[in-house]
Amino acid sequence: MNFKLLTLLVITIFSTNLNAAVFDGGNFVQDTNTQLDWLKVSFTQGKSFDEVSSLIANDSFYSGYQLAGREQVKTLFNNYYGELAIGSGSSIDILNYNKTFGFVNLLGLTREIQDSNIIVLPVSVDRYFTTGYVAEPYVNNKHRIAEFVARDYFVSVGATQDSGKFSYKASPYDDDEANELISSFLVRSSVVSLEPEPSTYAMMVLGLFGIAGMNRRNKQA
């Protein structure tokens, strides 16, 4: 293996993982900056506030989870994007479709729209949503929701207008009402950290250089 190529590979691996804060844990997503686990939305999609509360209280699978606050959801979003600073407003647009789409898929989709008639033809639109209840209520037993949206506009000439969006909205649903397009953002303190230890990186680097050295000797023999 070429040593310059190997060095570039090691630098890429290190830089990627040092900047990463959000990891896929299977049933949950972990934010290592806050040491919080976020249950993927598929487990609570279409369930009412009352149903989710009952699951938290009675189902061992949901043990330790609670409905996340709006600031917690905002922090998760901010940590995933890293350099992005989110203001205090209820909505923010992101000019990075691929990253937003990756985040939406990481948490799980609650809605997907593929429609060529949303905008004046011949433009087609793909929109992917992750939408869920947050802890702070709105009024009269109504709830607020947080929503992540990845939007990709495909123009007929091949150009694209990519964007993402993060917003808070008021939901019209009472505690006992459900909507199949809305989930809940449940969070707990992390039980096991998913962030690789420095020793893991060291072993990986030593292994890569060892393999490269063996290949080099074999070529010289």
Side-chain angles (χ1 to χ4, degrees), residues 50-67:
D50 284 346
E51 287 178 298
V52 172
S53 299
S54 178
L55 289 171
I56 292 173
N58 302 303
D59 191 327
S60 60
F61 177 78
Y62 297 86
S63 177
Y65 282 103
Q66 60 183 1
L67 205 64

Side-chain angles (χ1 to χ4, degrees), residues 8-168:
L8 180 61
L9 176 62
V10 170
I11 291 173
T12 301
I13 292 172
F14 265 96
S15 61
T16 300
N17 284 281
L18 287 175
N19 290 329
V22 180
F23 293 87
D24 190 344
N27 294 333
F28 61 89
V29 172
Q30 184 174 102
D31 182 349
T32 58
N33 283 356
T34 58
Q35 288 300 302
L36 294 176
D37 294 340
W38 294 80
L39 188 66
K40 292 189 176 180
V41 300
S42 58
F43 294 100
T44 54
Q45 184 172 353
K47 292 181 171 58
S48 69
F49 180 86
D50 284 346
E51 287 178 298
V52 172
S53 299
S54 178
L55 289 171
I56 292 173
N58 302 303
D59 191 327
S60 60
F61 177 78
Y62 297 86
S63 177
Y65 282 103
Q66 60 183 1
L67 205 64
R70 288 196 291 166
E71 288 303 312
Q72 288 178 306
V73 180
K74 184 186 293 185
T75 299
L76 171 68
F77 183 69
N78 190 47
N79 287 344
Y80 178 81
Y81 276 88
E83 76 285 353
L84 183 69
I86 297 179
S88 59
S90 62
S91 179
I92 184 168
D93 287 305
I94 315 299
L95 297 178
N96 191 329
Y97 167 80
N98 287 330
K99 199 162 188 179
T100 307
F101 180 72
F103 191 42
V104 167
N105 272 281
L106 188 64
L107 292 171
L109 295 177
T110 57
R111 184 171 21 150
E112 178 179 344
I113 295 177
Q114 295 179 309
D115 194 334
S116 60
N117 298 309
I118 296 178
I119 301 179
V120 178
L121 292 175
V123 178
S124 63
V125 182
D126 287 355
R127 293 190 290 183
Y128 304 91
F129 300 77
T130 295
T131 306
Y133 292 122
V134 294
E136 286 83 350
Y138 183 51
V139 291
N140 300 328
N141 292 329
K142 304 297 190 291
H143 301 282
R144 289 192 184 277
I145 60 173
E147 186 168 73
F148 306 93
V149 185
R151 296 167 294 185
D152 200 356
Y153 300 79
F154 299 95
V155 186
S156 59
V157 295
T160 61
Q161 178 185 349
D162 303 336
S163 65
K165 191 179 187 69
F166 170 71
S167 62
Y168 290 121

Side-chain angles (χ1 to χ4, degrees), residues 181-195:
L181 304 179
I182 300 177
S183 181
S184 293
F185 287 110
L186 298 186
V187 64
R188 70 179 180 188
S189 296
S190 298
V191 178
V192 178
S193 177
L194 299 180
E195 188 172 20

